[in-house]
Every structure is written in structure tokens, then in C-alpha cells.
Amino acid sequence: MVEGETTAQETTLQITGMTCAACASRIEKGLNRMEGVASANVNLALETAKIEFTDGITPHDLIRKVEQLGYGAILKEEKKDGADLRRQEMNRQRLRFILSALLSLPLLWAMAGHFSWTSFIPVPDLLMNPWMQLILATPVQFIIGYPFYVGAYKALRNGSANMDVLVVLGTSAAYFYSVYLTADWAQNGGHHAPELYFETSAILITLIILGKWFEALAKGRTSEAIKTLMSLQAKTALIVRDGQELTVPVEEVAVHDIVIVKPGEKIPVDGIVEAGQSSVDESMLTGESIPVEKTAGDSVIGATVNKHGTLRVKATKVGKETALAQIIRIVEEAQGSKAPIQRIADRISGIFVPVVVGLAVVVFLLWFFAGGGHFADSLEKAIAVLVIACPCALGLATPTSIMAGSGRAAEAGILFKGGEHLETTHRVDTVVLDKTGTITRGKPELTDVFAADGWQEEDLLRYTAAAEKSSEHPLAEAIVEGAVNRGLELQPTEGFEAIPGYGIHAALEGKEILVGTRRLLEKYSISYAAAEKQMEKLESEGKTAMLAAIDGQYAGMIAVADTVKPTSASAVARLKEMGIRVVMVTGDNRRTAEAIGREIGIDQVLAEVLPEDKAAEVKKLQKAGRKVAMVGDGINDAPALATADIGIAIGTGTDVAIEAADVTLMRGDLTGIADAIRMSRKTMTNIKQNLFWALAYNSLGIPIAAAGLLAPWLAGAAMAFSSVSVVLNALRLQRVKL
């Protein structure tokens, strides 16, 4: 594409009519062949198609293409609520199964009369009558089974074959051969009822529909995470318009609207507090159970809960722009994306059905010519091969695991941006951690106050904090906040001067105050020899120590540190237990960096690294053969996040954090890293289990059926429940404890 000529666009279609992996493969290939389509990804489990295309075509062109291929499609935005669609599908499949079972059970009862080992079961003569069996089987074959015929016709018309083709071939062969035998029986006077196969076709259809019903039930559960996230959203908002308070649906709130949020209510949109004071429970987003105090000027996030006071909030982000909406979008995209491992299943399913049809013909011919020319027996073996080989489970193996795994991760505050990232994460063997804001809180705190002889700690802190109050330096803010938290009242200074590279000079209550580095006191010829040993000790602990002098005399020392998050040490220990190498990279001086490294158990520390050089450090590790996950705040670490095999952003759902990384940890601490890797490992194990069992069903079932050891109705049951077992296995991921 030449830059400037066309614009890349993206849309998601809701697809109807897919029955197996071959359908998804057919649609995907058809869309990808269209001129102007950059890529198309069809997800069988979600029944969606995510398409990237240029402005030379429109979404309606894409819909027409899907319809030409024999399936239905609408823009995802136009579809009904996902839960409603799932409920309708479950109800439809349940009704089809009940009707089919009611008509098929008498045929199953009649089948009992054909075997010597079931001769003790009394079978009414009416059920053994061929005409009665024809009456029972016909509605199952052509009314309840009508969707199979439609699907098969559409597939064959477009030069492909899917599960419907196999079902229609198998059941129709049994049904029409039985019709032929019934007609022959009637023509010969109705003596000696023939061995019919009406029950084979009817029970096959019944079992396949039962499998589809169970599949719909199970697939509904894989989207629980999306349902849970969407339930967090507020439904209405109280806004102020033209001086009046109006309650409107949250969708009608516009940017710059003033929203009134009363105690106990959910904040409906992202915004800035204009008036009011309250505490807000942000645990749904950050995992932090302690409510956060909010006053005028503070930002608030939609779906968090206002605990106490009333807030007037100016809306800054509404609808799809809110943090929660972005989270839901990322989870949906992850569940709908295709992991690289799925390509194996796609390649197999693309050629599977035609091969199976050919194999069934070969089986029929072999049994017919080598088995004494018994048409009925040969047909039965061919039907069993056709039915056991349906590749439904193969198509569901990967997407259901991705849906369940990414959904469970989202519930734990771990957002994977796509299936490919969920897959890649399990290969990580090295984690590179940024220090500030990742290992540490990212905000300096007052840690120590040491007063010299003749001074009280409280007085020293009061004078120092009052002097620092006029400074905008982060260390000054930490001292002031520490003093206020200790209940000290700070008086305004009578004079203030910031001395870059040294510290500050201020006057307070007639006293001259100096706070800063060794060089500051040396500049004013003030001795601090008694403090040197203590200062070195504090610095070796990773703290920043500042000397204070009052009226030309050394008065004491104050230490500030960017404190380590409480969970950092345990998170590093857990990563090491998992066999993962942990590296810390920071721009801080080596002494401070190594002190923090020792505190949390990191052996390899890369200190005094500029932000632009962090990516180079990641590349060095990659060249050494390591699979690297870079963990940072998603802003100044963006180059390193992009360079790493997996970029993990620590944050609370900011736009930059979400966009910059492959994985975002919403809860803001390092424990999520091990959880993300563990979830990836569990998901990949689950996918491999699914693919193994899906292929095992076919690989073992086809030769067994071809050998004549598998009755068609048993083949139908195995095929139906193979899909169900794959989905149920994927659902085990929802119970993983993180």
C-alpha cells in the first residue's frame, strides 16, 4: 500500500452458520483473497471475523462476500447483546434436541429388537413396522436436520466441504437406503420386516444436536469474564443540564457534562472532580482495597464506587473511551485473536473433510468387494467413518482455551492484548524489571530523621519541612508530606532560594535554614563530620540523605527513599522458583540500585542506564538466547517494552500503559508477572491437551470405524462429545487460582 493513497481500517463481523473448523477456514480464505483485505481472522468459538482492509472496499462488501460463501454476517456493533444471542442459541438447540429425542427414542427402542443380547426387552410390533419407523425418522431427517442440508448445500456450492457435508452424507445414506428397503418390503407383500437403518440416521442427528446444545452452554461460560466486566458499568448517570439535574442512560453522557455522584453510587464515566470530597473504591481496577481520597482536581475512573461524600465530576472520557471500555475491548480482542499454534489446526481442518469423504468411499468399496458384496454392511462402515471424522473439536481446541485463559487472567487484573501474546508469554525465561514505579512505589517517602545534639527530631523536621514547602522538587514534597502526616504545623517562610545542584536556603522565625547535599554545607563552611558515617549507611540502604543546618550549625539529617512495594520481594522470589532469571535496570546510581536489588533478592542489577539504552540491554539478553519480558510503566520504558519478546506494563489502566505493552497488569504490583506467565503456561498446556484429544478422536476413531468395530450411532456420540469434552477442558482454566 502506497502511503497517502489508502487508509487502513478494521471491523469485526458476527458470523452465523458456521458448524466446524472447515467453515471458519473457508470464510477466512475467502476474505483474505479479496482485493483490499490485509488480513482476516475468523474465530469459530466466538463466531466472529476480525478484518483489516483498505478504504477501497467497505464493510458491506465484506458482508456480501461472507454471504456468497454461504454464511450470514452482520457488523458486530449491530448485533444484539452477546448474552441474549447465546441464550437464544442455547434455547434453539435445546428445543431441537428435545423434539429429535422424542422421535428418535422409539426408533432406539425398536433397535433393541435386532440384537440377541437385548431380546429380553419387549418391543411393540408397531415400532417394528417399517412404515412407522419411516414416519418417525422423516421429520428428524428433513425438519430437525434441515440446517445440516442447508449448510452442506452452501458449502458444496462454493466448492468446499464442512461438517454438514459429512453429517448429511452419513445420515442420508442410512435414511435413503432404509427407504429403499421399506419400499422393497412393501412391494414383496410386507413379509419379514427388513433390517432398517432409520434409527442410525435419527440417533446420529439427535446426538449431534445434543453435542451442539452442550457446546453452546459451555461456550457461554467461556465469556464470563466479559460479562463480569460489563456488569461493572453504571447503567445511568445524574447530570446537570441547563441548571437542572437529569437522570439519563450512561450512553447519553457527553464529554464536559457535569455528573453528580452520590455516596454509594458508581462513577459512570472517567472525569475530573470539580467539587466535593470523598473516598473512592478503585479495587475493581487496581485491586487495592483501601479507598482513595478524592478532592477537586483529582481524576476518577468510571465504574469505581463513591463511598462517602457527593462529588461533582466533569466528564473527560465517555462511552468507548473510558478505561473500563478499553479493558473490555482488550479482553474481547484477546479472546477473538488467533494464537500461532492454531495454524496447525487450520491447516489440518482445511483438507480434512475432502480426505474423509474419499476415505469413506474407499472403506465402502473395500468392504463391498472384499466382504462378500454386503451393501448394507459396507454402507454402515462408510457412515461410521464419515461421522467419526467431523473436525468440530479440532476447530474449537485453541479458541476456547484462549477465551477461557484470557478471561480468567482479566478477572485477576492481567490483560493480554492478543492470543499471540498469551502464547508467547509461556516461553519467557528472563524478566527485566524497571525500578522506579515498578519495583518501588515511584513516589519518594520520608523514612528517617536524625537530630544533632541540642535539637529535637520534631523541631528539626518542622523547620526543614517548612523550608522545603516552597520547593517543587519531589524530595521536598516527600519531606513536607511526611511532616504533615506526623501532625506538624508548617509556618510560611520569610525568604526562600533554590540552589541548583546543592539544595535550598530559607529564612523562618528569624532563623537561617539550609537543607541539601554535602556540597551545600561545605559551601557555607559548616562541618558535618559527625554525620558522615550515618549518611553513608543511609545511602548504602538506597536512601537519599539530606543535611540540615540552622543558623550556621549542623542540626541533623533527613532521609527520603522511593520505598519498595510490599509485594516486590515475594514476587521476585516466586519468579525465581519458576526458574526465571530476574534482572533490574535503572537510571539510578549503582549504590542505590544495588541496595534495592539486595532488598528484594535480585542479583543482576544494571544501574545508571539511560532510558534510550534500556532497549539495548534487552537486545543483549535476546542475543544471548534469552526470551525476555520487559516490565515497566509503559511511558519512559516504551522502547524497551517494544523491543522485548513480551512487554508488560505496570499501571492502573492508563491509555499509554495499555497501548505500549503486550500485557498490562492492572493491579500495579509485581505479583501479576508470575501470574501472567503461569496463566500462559496453563493455557498452552490446555491447548495442547485439546489438540491431542481432538486429533486422537479422529486418528483412533477412523481406523476403528473403518474396521467395522464402531456402529454409526456410537460414532455420532463420540463425535458430538469430542467437541463438548474440548470445551469443558478449556473451562478448567476458569478455575485456575491466581
Side-chain angles (χ1 to χ4, degrees):
M1 184 180 78
V2 178
E3 191 172 339
E5 287 188 2
T6 54
T7 307
Q9 298 181 59
E10 187 176 284
T11 191
T12 302
L13 302 181
Q14 194 73 31
I15 308 293
T16 57
M18 290 193 296
T19 54
C20 68
C23 298
S25 179
R26 172 71 182 166
I27 296 169
E28 196 168 280
K29 285 177 182 175
L31 289 169
N32 277 317
R33 287 193 191 113
M34 287 182 71
E35 191 174 340
V37 171
S39 70
N41 171 20
V42 177
N43 187 303
L44 176 63
L46 284 176
E47 297 181 328
T48 59
K50 185 178 177 182
I51 307 150
E52 292 180 14
F53 59 99
T54 63
D55 56 11
I57 55 175
T58 67
H60 294 289
D61 294 328
L62 301 170
I63 290 171
R64 273 196 299 273
K65 180 63 177 177
V66 174
E67 289 171 346
Q68 285 171 10
L69 293 169
Y71 304 91
I74 56 171
L75 288 171
K76 196 177 179 190
E77 296 78 33
E78 296 173 1
K79 75 178 181 71
K80 295 182 182 179
D81 178 70
D84 289 340
L85 286 174
R86 282 191 298 274
R87 205 175 301 114
Q88 286 178 14
E89 176 64 14
M90 284 185 272
N91 291 339
R92 183 165 55 248
Q93 296 294 1
R94 181 176 59 187
L95 179 61
R96 288 178 71 198
F97 168 70
I98 290 170
L99 292 174
S100 190
L102 287 173
L103 292 167
S104 300
L105 283 173
L107 293 169
L108 186 63
W109 189 1
M111 189 174 69
H114 292 297
F115 305 109
S116 57
W117 53 274
T118 56
S119 57
F120 64 92
I121 301 174
V123 180
D125 290 339
L126 180 64
L127 292 183
M128 298 299 291
N129 186 288
W131 293 120
M132 186 64 196
Q133 291 191 24
L134 177 64
I135 290 168
L136 290 168
T138 301
V140 176
Q141 187 71 34
F142 297 111
I143 298 176
I144 296 167
Y146 177 74
F148 295 120
Y149 280 93
V150 172
Y153 167 73
K154 287 179 177 178
L156 292 171
R157 186 185 66 186
N158 287 284
S160 67
N162 60 3
M163 184 199 87
D164 293 326
V165 172
L166 298 181
V167 172
V168 165
L169 281 174
T171 59
S172 296
Y175 175 83
F176 286 112
Y177 181 58
S178 298
V179 170
Y180 164 76
L181 292 177
T182 300
D184 186 62
W185 166 78
Q187 191 175 356
N188 291 320
H191 301 295
H192 306 295
E195 191 174 308
L196 304 175
Y197 294 89
F198 284 122
E199 76 282 348
T200 298
S201 63
I203 292 166
L204 274 176
I205 289 171
T206 303
L207 287 171
I208 291 165
I209 292 170
L210 176 63
K212 287 289 178 187
W213 177 30
F214 283 165
E215 192 181 300
L217 284 168
K219 278 161 68 177
R221 285 182 55 200
T222 61
S223 296
E224 286 296 319
I226 297 286
K227 211 183 300 178
T228 302
L229 287 168
M230 295 187 97
S231 70
L232 295 173
Q233 294 174 312
K235 302 294 185 290
T236 60
L238 180 63
I239 64 172
V240 178
R241 281 187 187 160
D242 301 324
Q244 292 186 318
E245 293 185 1
L246 303 170
T247 300
V248 298
V250 72
E251 295 82 10
E252 294 181 15
V253 180
V255 175
H256 303 312
D257 272 345
I258 300 299
V259 182
I260 308 295
V261 189
K262 296 178 179 177
E265 292 182 345
K266 288 181 180 178
I267 297 171
V269 293
D270 294 2
I272 302 292
V273 177
E274 287 223 325
Q277 186 172 354
S278 182
S279 57
V280 175
D281 180 358
E282 296 184 342
S283 59
M284 53 72 60
L285 196 65
T286 65
E288 179 58 59
S289 57
I290 300 171
V292 181
E293 294 299 319
K294 300 289 182 181
T295 57
D298 290 338
S299 61
V300 290
I301 301 165
T304 55
V305 179
N306 181 25
K307 301 295 284 184
H308 303 298
T310 298
L311 296 174
R312 284 174 64 92
V313 176
K314 183 178 181 180
T316 56
K317 291 183 179 179
V318 299
K320 294 180 180 179
E321 300 302 315
T322 63
L324 182 62
Q326 287 187 60
I327 293 167
I328 291 171
R329 174 179 59 80
I330 284 175
V331 176
E332 283 183 327
E333 286 179 357
Q335 292 193 337
S337 65
K338 187 174 289 187
I341 196 172
Q342 192 173 338
R343 295 183 193 126
I344 300 168
D346 289 347
R347 282 197 293 269
I348 295 170
S349 61
I351 60 169
F352 207 73
V353 176
V355 169
V356 167
V357 173
L359 187 62
V361 172
V362 171
V363 167
F364 173 81
L365 294 173
L366 283 174
W367 274 96
F368 185 76
F369 290 110
H374 294 294
F375 183 86
D377 286 347
S378 304
L379 181 65
E380 189 173 294
K381 273 69 171 180
I383 290 169
V385 170
L386 284 171
V387 174
I388 194 67
C390 288
C392 311
L394 196 61
L396 291 168
T398 302
T400 49
S401 294
I402 293 290
M403 286 170 69
S406 58
R408 177 67 190 98
E411 289 170 1
I414 302 162
L415 302 184
F416 288 94
K417 283 183 76 173
E420 64 275 22
H421 307 308
L422 183 56
E423 177 176 336
T424 305
T425 301
H426 89 282
R427 298 195 187 98
V428 167
D429 57 22
T430 304
V431 170
V432 177
L433 301 173
D434 174 50
K435 181 180 79 70
T436 307
T438 302
I439 294 170
T440 64
R441 296 179 187 274
K443 183 181 178 184
E445 293 179 3
L446 178 67
T447 57
D448 302 275
V449 180
F450 296 101
D453 292 340
W455 283 95
Q456 297 293 322
E457 285 185 7
E458 188 174 294
D459 290 336
L460 173 66
L461 180 57
R462 183 168 57 84
Y463 277 112
T464 305
E468 292 280 17
K469 196 174 181 182
S470 299
S471 172
E472 295 179 353
H473 196 283
L475 298 181
E477 291 176 5
I479 294 170
V480 172
E481 188 177 335
V484 171
N485 289 341
R486 296 186 189 195
L488 300 181
E489 189 174 335
L490 306 183
Q491 300 298 323
T493 55
E494 294 148 14
F496 174 83
E497 180 190 4
I499 308 171
Y502 290 84
I504 63 161
H505 177 214
L508 176 67
E509 298 176 0
K511 297 182 183 296
E512 183 185 30
I513 301 166
L514 294 169
V515 185
T517 63
R518 295 176 176 86
R519 289 190 296 167
L520 179 66
L521 268 62
E522 288 167 1
K523 182 178 179 180
Y524 284 85
S525 303
I526 299 171
S527 173
Y528 59 88
E532 185 63 49
K533 188 175 284 188
Q534 183 67 47
M535 194 171 189
E536 288 178 1
K537 181 177 181 294
L538 290 170
E539 288 174 341
S540 71
E541 293 171 359
K543 298 174 181 178
T544 300
M546 287 166 282
L547 301 169
I550 299 176
D551 285 342
Q553 296 293 317
Y554 170 69
M557 186 190 319
I558 289 176
V560 170
D562 182 3
T563 55
V564 170
K565 293 176 182 176
T567 55
S568 292
S570 60
V572 169
R574 190 172 162 207
L575 286 168
K576 285 183 171 181
E577 285 171 13
M578 295 170 72
I580 293 167
R581 179 177 171 188
V582 184
V583 180
M584 183 174 81
V585 60
T586 178
D588 275 0
N589 67 73
R590 180 158 296 280
R591 183 183 287 177
T592 301
E594 288 178 348
I596 298 246
R598 283 193 301 273
E599 184 178 347
I600 65 169
I602 295 179
D603 303 318
Q604 186 175 352
V605 176
L606 305 174
E608 299 171 14
V609 179
L610 296 173
E612 57 267 28
D613 293 334
K614 288 181 182 179
E617 295 293 345
V618 169
K619 282 181 181 175
K620 283 181 190 175
L621 289 165
Q622 289 172 324
K623 284 178 181 176
R626 314 293 295 189
K627 289 290 181 184
V628 182
M630 173 67 199
V631 186
D633 61 13
I635 303 170
N636 60 352
D637 297 310
L641 288 168
T643 302
D645 297 283
I646 287 292
I648 302 177
I650 297 276
T652 53
T654 60
D655 294 347
V656 177
I658 288 175
E659 292 302 323
D662 306 313
V663 184
T664 300
L665 306 180
M666 303 303 297
R667 296 187 176 174
D669 64 45
L670 301 186
T671 55
I673 303 169
D675 287 337
I677 295 170
R678 182 165 175 262
M679 198 70 234
S680 175
R681 289 177 177 179
K682 289 274 187 185
T683 303
M684 290 310 299
T685 299
N686 195 273
I687 288 172
K688 288 169 184 174
Q689 289 169 349
N690 280 349
L691 288 172
F692 171 79
W693 285 114
L695 289 167
Y697 268 111
N698 294 134
S699 302
L700 294 173
I702 290 173
I704 291 171
L709 302 175
L710 196 64
W713 69 273
L714 279 174
M719 188 275 288
F721 286 102
S722 66
S723 297
V724 177
S725 65
V726 160
V727 178
L728 291 177
N729 185 50
L731 285 173
R732 292 191 306 116
L733 290 169
Q734 292 188 329
R735 295 197 297 272
V736 173
K737 291 182 180 178
L738 295 175

